[in-house]
């Protein structure tokens, strides 16, 4: 199964590291591809993926689904970005 989610606030490789790590920890996820330019996250799984769970986790990290952006989540993305650069 393939799931595509477009998110906001992806700025750099640190952001990609943070998002990839979080999505790979979701149950059933086999692989994650992230396009920094478009903010598109492509998730591969052998089974059905709980999209709501992944979208919620991404929003908590500061990477909300396109159209759901707010200032609080944008601030969180800067912290996640910095942490991702350290990993």
């Amino acid at each position: 199964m393939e799931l595509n989610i477009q998110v906001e606030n992806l700025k750099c490789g640190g952001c990609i590291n943070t998002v990839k790590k979080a999505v790979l920890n979701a149950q059933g996820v086999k692989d994650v591809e992230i396009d920094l330019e478009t903010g598109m996250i492509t998730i591969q799984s052998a089974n059905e993926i709980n999209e709501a769970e992944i979208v919620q986790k991404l929003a908590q990290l500061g990477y909300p689904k396109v159209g759901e952006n707010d200032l609080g989540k944008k601030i969180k993305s800067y912290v996640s970005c910095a942490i991702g650069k350290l990993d």
Side-chain angles (χ1 to χ4, degrees):
M1 178 178 184
E2 182 176 290
L3 173 65
N4 294 301
I5 302 171
Q6 189 173 19
V7 299
E8 303 205 28
N9 302 334
L10 287 176
K11 295 175 269 322
C12 67
C15 296
I16 289 174
N17 287 339
T18 298
V19 168
K20 195 167 194 171
K21 188 183 293 185
V23 174
L24 282 171
N25 283 329
Q27 184 175 359
V29 173
K30 300 278 184 195
D31 190 35
V32 179
E33 295 294 323
I34 302 170
D35 184 326
L36 183 62
E37 300 260 335
T38 64
M40 186 64 70
I41 302 169
T42 303
I43 303 164
Q44 299 289 335
S45 173
N47 302 317
E48 193 164 328
I49 303 168
N50 185 340
E51 181 177 358
E53 176 186 325
I54 293 173
V55 168
Q56 180 182 13
K57 179 65 175 172
L58 292 169
Q60 288 172 343
L61 290 171
Y63 306 100
K65 195 172 179 179
V66 167
E68 298 177 5
N69 197 11
D70 68 31
L71 182 59
K73 290 177 182 161
K74 191 167 190 168
I75 291 168
K76 285 182 182 180
S77 75
Y78 285 106
V79 173
S80 293
C81 178
I83 291 170
K85 288 178 185 176
L86 297 174
D87 288 342

